[in-house]
């Protein structure tokens, strides 16, 4: 996002854009800059005012309106607002019962809000402050500033907004806000720093395969850099740290899964389920599990987890409808319910895996794909959307699981998994190839004949051409499959060929590597034109790997081999 900020008055221009998108809901005061809600609930007697550095949207401006805030003071990117902004916004929004300031615990924010509060008191306007300090990464006895204020601010603003619309007094709102803060803790991680608006480069560098643990929402480095664990293990570690720091209290919790700007909804929803499962396993009741981007750090690739122990009535405050730019999720989980269950077919006893067949091919291909998955992904990122390595590896894992649980032969399991469960373009095309190769496997578990393999490869090639139209030279998987099929057909017609599978594998390898010199005419790589030149097609490489695995099983003395796993570059 910071690649396209206006060169001047970026924050004011963005504020005007928000008001333009929500006409009748928000108004902008340009000097000093603040935004006001135009449609306050008539029952409200206390104005809620917040603000802070820009770059955290939709915090705070997304909660302007009924059920939320009365005024917001945006500073420059990652910089606190000036006390004049806060003072004039508070004076303009003040109601009969006064003004409550909701302040994140950062030095600049605290000082400027305090000065504004002194000026309001001098004018005779009642004012109080709720200081949000939820970030356990900065919870140190050696620090005079205390914990930073981060995503728990969303929880505070939402609960207080609902309570204010019920006519709560300044004293009642202050007490509620302080209790919500005391019941809340957050922790954040990042895999990539935010883009600096000045340099248009990442604000800091992280080595590949690492995460910063305990980052701040202004792009502050984490308290430590760690080797990147599996996502489930990371969520478990974050949950443990949160619960160790969270004060004792009710077992019912609100769990906020917050994206830091570049984390997708897909990822946040998945993390929400992992977190819910972790909490349930520890005897807690995740009454509200709320994924989304609420407190960003520009476009940082990361997320934070916030836990709030819920007192009686707080869940109802969260689910109270709002009229604000940000529509917060309103989970309908009953108290104590885990995440919504996923229906699965009734299980039946699985037969034992069959001996023989082509299970060895499945296992060898699975090992090979695991070794080169990341390399295939990197190649696909250059010519497509970067999902090929994961899709291929995921399909192979499903096939292994299917073979283990049902006794299905290896290539038949590959066919079923790829045809039924692997999406995208290449998944079902590989499924067609596996379907025909499965027919070449003898029922007695012996080695397939060259004639059977030649027929299967040719049939698979023909099926893929009928479906997708690709021919050799289009820079697709066909560029490896066609020469392999031709090599097997030639071997079939030759008396006693010496190593037909090795020759077919070598033909597939040559065909796959030759795609680097082709300008793609089909498939997703065709969209990037000349940018694909010099990059071998990942699908063609995967076909070559399949024939290499086949040769390695039946002709181990001559089969082409991959380098050691730690030194693989692709073939």
């Amino acid at each position: 996002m910071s690649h396209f900020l206006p060169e001047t008055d970026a924050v004011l221009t963005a504020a005007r854009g928000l008001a333009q998108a929500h006409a009748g809901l928000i108004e902008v005061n340009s000097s000093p800059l603040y935004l006001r809600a135009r449609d306050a609930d008539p029952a409200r007697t206390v104005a809620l005012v917040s603000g802070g550095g820009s770059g955290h949207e939709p915090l705070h401006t997304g909660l302007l309106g009924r059920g939320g805030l009365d005024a917001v003071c945006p500073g420059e990117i990652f910089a606190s607002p000036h006390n004049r902004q806060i003072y004039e916004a508070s004076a303009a929004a003040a109601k009969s019962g006064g003004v409550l300031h909701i302040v994140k615990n950062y030095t600049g924010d605290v000082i400027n809000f305090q000065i504004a509060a002194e000026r309001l008191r001098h004018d005779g306007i009642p004012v109080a402050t709720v200081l949000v300090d939820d970030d356990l990464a900065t919870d140190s006895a050696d620090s005079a500033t205390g914990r930073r204020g981060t995503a728990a601010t969303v929880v505070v603003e939402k609960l207080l907004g609902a309570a204010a619309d019920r006519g709560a007094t300044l004293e009642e709102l202050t007490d509620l806000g302080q209790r919500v803060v005391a019941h809340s803790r957050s922790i954040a991680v990042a895999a990539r720093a935010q883009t600096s608006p000045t340099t248009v480069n990442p604000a800091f560098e992280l080595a590949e395969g690492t995460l910063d643990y305990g980052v701040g929402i202004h792009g502050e480095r984490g308290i430590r850099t760690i080797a990147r664990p599996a996502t489930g293990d990371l969520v478990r570690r974050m949950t443990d740290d949160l619960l160790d720091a969270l004060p004792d209290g009710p077992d019912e919790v609100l769990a906020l899964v917050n994206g830091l700007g570049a984390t997708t909804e897909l990822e946040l929803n998945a993390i929400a389920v992992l977190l819910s499962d972790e909490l349930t396993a520890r005897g807690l009741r995740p009454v509200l599990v709320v994924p989304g981007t609420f407190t960003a750090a520009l476009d940082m690739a990361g997320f934070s987890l916030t836990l709030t122990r819920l007192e009686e009535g707080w869940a109802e405050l969260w689910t109270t409808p709002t009229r604000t730019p940000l529509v917060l999720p309103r989970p309908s989980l009953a108290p104590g319910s885990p995440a919504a269950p996923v229906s699965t077919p009734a299980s039946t006893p699985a037969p034992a895996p069959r001996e023989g067949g082509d299970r060895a091919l499945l296992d060898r291909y699975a090992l090979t794909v695991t070794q080169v998955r990341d390399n295939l992904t990197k190649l696909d990122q250059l010519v497509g959307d970067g999902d090929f390595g994961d899709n291929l590896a995921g399909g192979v894992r499903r096939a292994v699981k299917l073979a283990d649980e049902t006794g299905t032969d290896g290539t038949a399991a590959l066919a079923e998994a790829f045809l039924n469960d692997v999406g995208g373009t290449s998944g079902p095309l590989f499924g067609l190839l596996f379907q025909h190769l499965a027919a070449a496997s003898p029922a007695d578990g012996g080695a397939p004949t060259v004639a059977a393999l030649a027929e299967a490869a040719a049939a698979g090639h023909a099926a893929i051409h009928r479906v997708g139209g690709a021919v050799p030279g289009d820079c697709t998987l066909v560029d490896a499959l066609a020469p392999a099929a031709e090599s097997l057909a030639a071997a079939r017609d030759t008396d006693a060929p010496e190593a037909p599978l090795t020759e077919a594998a070598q033909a597939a390898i040559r065909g796959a590597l030759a795609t680097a010199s082709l300008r793609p005419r089909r498939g997703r790589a065709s969209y990037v034109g000349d940018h694909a030149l010099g990059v071998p097609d990942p699908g063609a490489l995967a076909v070559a790997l399949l024939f290499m695995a086949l040769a390695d099983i039946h002709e181990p003395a001559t089969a082409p081999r991959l380098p050691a796993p730690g030194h693989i570059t692709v073939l």
Side-chain angles (χ1 to χ4, degrees):
M1 64 170 284
S2 49
H3 293 269
F4 301 106
L5 286 171
E7 287 73 13
T8 58
D9 295 328
V11 176
L12 172 59
T13 305
R16 291 175 57 200
L18 183 69
Q20 178 177 279
H22 299 277
L25 186 64
I26 295 170
E27 64 183 22
V28 177
N29 188 87
S30 59
S31 182
L33 175 60
Y34 61 83
L35 298 88
R36 282 185 61 195
R38 301 182 65 178
D39 181 33
D41 192 303
R44 183 175 290 208
T45 63
V46 176
L48 303 181
V49 177
S50 191
S54 296
H56 305 308
E57 291 74 22
L59 188 83
H60 303 271
T61 50
L63 283 170
L64 270 167
R66 291 200 181 203
L69 302 170
D70 293 278
V72 169
C73 308
E76 295 300 316
I77 293 175
F78 293 170
S80 68
H82 190 275
N83 80 83
R84 182 187 167 209
Q85 292 176 257
I86 303 163
Y87 166 67
E88 294 201 19
S90 300
K95 300 188 180 301
S96 59
V99 177
L100 178 65
H101 288 162
I102 301 171
V103 185
K104 300 189 303 299
N105 188 25
Y106 289 93
T107 301
D109 291 29
V110 170
I111 289 175
N112 279 287
F113 270 93
Q114 284 180 338
I115 293 173
E118 291 297 325
R119 296 178 68 177
L120 291 168
R121 292 189 186 98
H122 184 268
D123 293 346
I125 298 174
V127 60
T129 299
V130 169
L131 186 67
V132 184
D133 59 349
D134 55 308
D135 185 9
L136 65 88
T138 49
D139 194 352
S140 171
D142 298 330
S143 172
T145 55
R147 295 183 297 269
R148 294 178 296 214
T150 59
T153 309
V154 177
V155 183
V156 173
E157 291 177 351
K158 176 63 179 78
L159 300 189
L160 292 187
D165 282 357
R166 296 180 180 183
T169 66
L170 181 60
E171 182 179 359
E172 290 168 340
L173 290 170
T174 304
D175 177 68
L176 173 60
Q178 291 172 346
R179 285 188 286 125
V180 173
V181 171
H183 282 62
S184 302
R185 292 292 184 274
S186 301
I187 187 71
V189 298
R192 177 178 56 76
Q194 78 281 2
T195 304
S196 166
T198 303
T199 67
V200 199
N201 291 314
F204 58 84
E205 295 294 333
L206 275 171
E208 187 174 354
T210 65
L211 295 173
D212 250 24
Y213 193 89
V215 295
I217 60 172
H218 300 99
E220 303 97 329
R221 293 297 303 263
I223 52 177
R224 63 182 66 90
T225 300
I226 63 172
R228 184 168 186 165
T231 303
D233 293 335
L234 178 62
V235 172
R236 185 174 303 112
R237 174 176 178 170
M238 296 170 74
T239 304
D240 287 339
D241 288 348
L242 285 169
L243 293 178
D244 286 344
L246 197 64
D248 293 337
D251 290 337
E252 294 184 349
V253 295
L254 180 153
L256 194 74
V257 180
N258 171 62
L260 294 178
T263 308
T264 64
E265 184 176 349
L266 177 75
E267 294 167 293
L268 296 174
N269 285 331
I271 291 166
V273 172
L274 298 176
L275 176 59
S276 179
D277 290 345
E278 290 293 335
L279 294 170
T280 302
R282 288 160 173 76
L284 296 173
R285 290 179 286 175
V287 177
L288 299 166
V289 182
V290 187
T293 296
F294 309 115
T295 306
L298 284 178
D299 61 348
M300 180 179 281
F303 67 94
S304 64
L305 302 181
T306 299
L307 295 182
T308 300
R309 292 192 185 273
L310 293 172
E311 292 187 3
E312 184 177 355
W314 289 7
E316 184 182 352
L317 290 175
W318 178 271
T319 56
T320 299
T322 61
R323 187 166 182 258
T324 61
L326 173 63
V327 179
L328 286 165
R330 297 171 58 202
S332 57
L333 296 178
S337 296
V342 178
S343 61
T344 55
S347 60
T348 57
R354 288 173 52 185
E355 295 296 330
D358 53 357
R359 176 59 192 260
L361 174 62
L362 171 59
D363 290 341
R364 188 64 50 87
Y365 193 51
L367 176 62
T368 302
V369 168
T370 299
Q371 292 172 353
V372 302
R373 180 193 66 182
D374 292 346
N375 304 83
L376 293 173
T377 294
K378 289 176 182 177
L379 291 174
D380 196 39
Q381 288 171 338
L382 296 173
V383 297
D385 56 3
D387 65 352
F388 181 77
D390 286 337
N391 277 352
L392 183 68
V396 172
R397 284 196 302 271
R398 290 185 181 94
V400 170
K401 186 173 185 291
L402 178 65
D404 287 343
E405 293 179 349
T406 67
T408 304
D409 276 349
T411 318
L414 283 165
E416 184 174 340
F418 276 78
L419 284 172
N420 292 339
D421 295 322
V422 180
T425 302
S426 59
L429 293 179
F430 270 89
L432 290 175
L433 174 59
F434 293 136
Q435 187 177 59
H436 286 282
L437 288 176
S441 299
D444 62 3
T449 65
V450 173
L453 285 173
E455 182 179 349
H461 177 200
I464 290 171
H465 172 69
R466 287 194 299 271
V467 170
V471 297
D474 283 348
C475 194
T476 70
L477 62 88
V478 166
D479 286 283
L481 177 57
E486 292 169 0
S487 177
L488 287 169
R492 176 193 58 196
D493 300 333
T494 302
D495 292 335
E498 185 175 340
L501 301 183
T502 297
E503 291 177 6
Q506 290 172 338
I509 292 169
R510 289 192 296 270
L513 296 179
T515 59
S517 64
L518 298 175
R519 192 179 191 278
R521 292 186 295 182
R522 291 187 184 273
R524 193 164 305 204
S526 65
Y527 304 152
V528 301
D530 290 343
H531 289 293
L533 291 173
V535 182
D537 180 71
L541 291 171
V543 169
L545 293 172
L546 175 65
F547 281 94
M548 288 172 63
L550 192 62
D552 194 27
I553 293 168
H554 299 292
E555 298 169 357
T558 57
R561 297 182 181 277
L562 287 171
H567 300 86
I568 291 171
T569 56
V570 173
L571 295 182

